[in-house]
Amino acid sequence: MTTIKLHNTRTRTKEEFVPIDPRNVRMYVCGPTVYDRAHLGNARPVVVFDVLYRLLRHVYGADHVTYVRNFTDVDDKINARAAESGRPIGDITAETTQWFLDDMGALGALEPDHMPRATEYIPQMVAMIESLIAKGHAYAAEGHVLFAVDSWKEHYGKLSGRSVDDMIAGARVEVAPYKKNPMDFVLWKPSTPDLPGWDSPWGRGRPGWHIECSAMSFELLGESFDIHGGGNDLMFPHHENEIAQSCCAHPEGRFANVWLHNEMLQVEGKKMSKSLGNFFTVRDLLDQGIPGEVIRFVFLSTHYRKPMDWTAEKAAEAARTLRKWRALTVGVEPAASAAPAVLEALSDDLNTAGAITEMHRLASGGKSAELLVAAQMLGLLTNELGDWTERDGIILDALTQKLTEVRERALETKDFAELDRLKALFVEAGVSVQMGKDGITLAAGPEVDLKTLEALK
């Protein structure tokens, strides 16, 4: 069997992955808070852990892997969006949840086996909080329930590598008179009549963010499971707090054995920010005519533990590569198994960049069947993504017909102004134009602007 090695954030070493139960390999990944469109940075962990999901299914069998990714549908950001827009919270969360699924599907991400919504697990959260209070790890105060960090001080901070005292000195924590320790975090908080709320032993209220994932992962994966993933911005406090409350509520378990964190995303060498004008959503790119497969390829061209820089140049290069690979694999049946070098790269801490290097070698060697099966292991060249290069052909066929009609009129009237204007627009949009006795031939270049061309049809 293929040996998978993964970099465990908790131990800070690359380890051989040994599942608790090879017949049921279990993975939990923190999902989105559904109040708006997913921005490009939100999509990176989705693609990263989709590749890991595909690899685990390849090694252990599709029926022996359970992947859970949650939706946070109760949160102060959602409440604020409802107050701003005047729309019901349920309408906002339902709409944005579907947006997320549609946009991630456009990037070729498989849907997880379970996609729990936090509001469906409130009773389990209340039960876990009651257990933490009973075990002396939490306390109620002024309608709130807080986790007592001092009750687990010896272990708290092991994931992020910081002591509680260091965290207090360096962190911006919510100051509240009912906290026994500034680092204590909220498990339950009161709700006013205008906010979502549920009955509980501590009054009408709603859960804190961190308890959601602990309760859902326990219900769906048990007190111990194999892999927990997410962006490295979640390492502290979210994942640190998950570990504390889960291990204290269920001391018989280990919670997650392996922790994986992907690095953040930049745009043209800078942190993505609305103030810099380089902030955009996945849907923004899709609406600009950039295929989801191209976005996915750019993500996978950088190792998940390195910062990823999105640039227009990388997107254009990805489109060039994928056009070539799609042309090479038209009508080809995928090989029975992946090339060993590709599988070896993926099994070495998800070295997708290394796998792509090997795929370039397969393409250069004319090994189309091997290229196709390797690409599909990375979620590329799949039927689900569709052949977006066919769209190029449909658009170019329509434009060829249009230009042919304009040319015929120009030959009759001897007025070539419109023909020259259109030809210049096509060339500017990345299409080569050849005119001869046998007619007109248009060919999409590597940086074709399909959105502009579609408007010219």
Side-chain angles (χ1 to χ4, degrees):
M1 180 178 285
T2 301
T3 298
I4 299 174
K5 293 183 178 180
L6 299 171
H7 186 275
N8 190 346
T9 306
R10 189 200 290 264
T11 62
R12 290 159 182 76
T13 59
K14 186 160 59 176
E15 305 169 349
E16 180 178 334
F17 175 64
V18 180
I20 299 168
D21 179 2
R23 297 165 299 177
N24 185 19
V25 182
R26 287 160 287 170
M27 176 169 71
Y28 187 95
V29 175
C30 290
T33 300
V34 282
Y35 69 98
D36 205 346
R37 286 279 187 187
H39 61 67
L40 199 58
N42 298 143
R44 192 180 190 195
V46 174
V47 173
V48 166
F49 292 104
D50 180 67
V51 172
L52 178 55
Y53 182 41
R54 291 171 184 270
L55 177 62
L56 293 172
R57 284 160 61 96
H58 175 82
V59 174
Y60 294 98
D63 295 335
H64 301 295
V65 180
T66 304
Y67 174 22
V68 179
R69 187 185 65 220
N70 72 294
F71 285 104
T72 293
D73 60 350
V74 52
D75 185 88
D76 289 344
K77 291 179 181 177
I78 301 172
N79 299 338
R81 182 57 52 89
E84 292 168 6
S85 64
R87 297 180 63 200
I89 285 174
D91 290 356
I92 292 172
T93 57
E95 179 181 61
T96 51
T97 295
Q98 193 58 53
W99 282 351
F100 183 86
L101 292 173
D102 291 344
D103 291 349
M104 298 308 107
L107 302 186
L110 300 172
E111 289 195 355
D113 300 285
H114 300 281
M115 295 185 288
R117 288 156 172 74
T119 52
E120 299 171 341
Y121 288 79
I122 300 296
Q124 290 85 345
M125 296 176 203
V126 170
M128 181 174 280
I129 294 169
E130 288 181 307
S131 172
L132 288 168
I133 292 176
K135 291 180 170 70
H137 294 293
Y139 58 94
E142 297 184 24
H144 296 74
V145 181
L146 298 107
F147 183 87
V149 169
D150 283 339
S151 72
W152 212 59
K153 188 172 183 179
E154 182 182 347
H155 306 282
Y156 192 78
K158 292 292 177 65
L159 181 69
S160 53
R162 292 180 287 179
S163 69
V164 174
D165 293 336
D166 288 342
M167 292 181 195
I168 293 174
R172 289 177 290 180
V173 295
E174 181 186 358
V175 177
Y178 46 79
K179 284 188 175 184
K180 295 180 180 179
N181 182 315
M183 293 303 299
D184 292 350
F185 56 88
V186 172
L187 302 173
W188 189 265
K189 53 189 171 184
S191 289
T192 55
D194 59 313
L195 293 175
W198 291 262
D199 291 334
S200 80
W202 319 286
R204 183 178 179 275
R206 60 197 190 278
W209 174 34
H210 312 300
I211 196 68
E212 297 175 9
C213 289
S214 287
M216 290 185 283
S217 63
F218 174 72
E219 285 298 314
L220 294 169
L221 300 177
E223 71 275 1
S224 299
F225 55 92
D226 297 296
I227 298 169
H228 195 312
N232 67 358
D233 57 324
L234 299 179
M235 190 185 309
F236 182 84
H238 185 52
H239 290 165
E240 199 77 72
N241 292 350
E242 276 190 75
I243 293 172
Q245 62 203 11
S246 294
C247 289
C248 289
H250 304 288
E252 70 280 6
R254 289 177 47 85
F255 194 41
N257 281 350
V258 179
W259 286 84
L260 300 182
H261 292 92
N262 63 274
E263 258 288 356
M264 294 295 98
L265 175 141
Q266 298 176 327
V267 176
E268 303 289 350
K270 297 180 180 178
K271 182 179 179 180
M272 190 166 67
S273 166
K274 290 181 179 178
S275 63
L276 295 176
N278 66 350
F279 179 95
F280 42 82
T281 67
V282 172
R283 180 53 50 180
D284 290 335
L285 293 183
L286 295 171
D287 287 347
Q288 290 169 22
I290 299 176
E293 187 173 42
V294 170
I295 300 171
R296 184 182 184 95
F297 189 100
V298 174
F299 282 177
L300 299 181
S301 298
T302 301
H303 192 275
Y304 78 93
R305 288 198 302 110
K306 294 182 179 179
M308 199 215 82
D309 191 19
W310 172 272
T311 69
E313 183 180 352
K314 286 182 178 179
E317 178 60 33
R320 281 193 289 269
T321 297
L322 288 167
R323 280 195 179 92
K324 181 174 72 173
W325 287 0
R326 283 197 170 272
L328 285 171
T329 56
V330 170
V332 172
E333 287 293 322
S337 60
V342 173
L343 189 56
E344 182 180 344
L346 286 180
S347 300
D348 184 12
D349 197 29
L350 292 186
N351 184 4
T352 53
I356 288 173
T357 297
E358 296 299 330
M359 289 158 65
H360 279 296
R361 293 195 178 103
L362 293 173
S364 298
K367 297 181 178 179
S368 300
E370 290 85 349
L371 171 64
L372 183 56
V373 71
Q376 291 179 348
M377 280 197 66
L378 273 73
L380 301 168
L381 308 188
T382 65
N383 294 331
E384 290 78 13
L385 283 167
D387 187 354
W388 50 270
T389 59
E390 289 181 355
R391 182 185 62 177
D392 299 7
I394 293 170
I395 294 173
L396 292 179
D397 286 347
L399 293 176
T400 301
Q401 180 64 32
K402 179 173 183 175
L403 201 59
T404 298
E405 293 170 358
V406 172
R407 185 192 189 200
E408 288 174 353
R409 286 197 299 270
L411 290 171
E412 291 175 3
T413 63
K414 306 304 180 185
D415 181 357
F416 294 91
E418 177 63 7
L419 180 65
D420 291 341
R421 185 187 75 84
L422 283 178
K423 181 180 177 181
L425 287 174
F426 291 177
V427 171
E428 185 178 351
V431 173
S432 66
V433 181
Q434 293 183 341
M435 296 183 183
K437 294 179 180 179
D438 297 330
I440 297 174
T441 301
L442 303 183
E447 298 181 24
V448 62
D449 182 352
L450 292 172
K451 187 177 181 182
T452 297
L453 290 172
E454 199 155 18
L456 293 173
K457 286 195 301 182

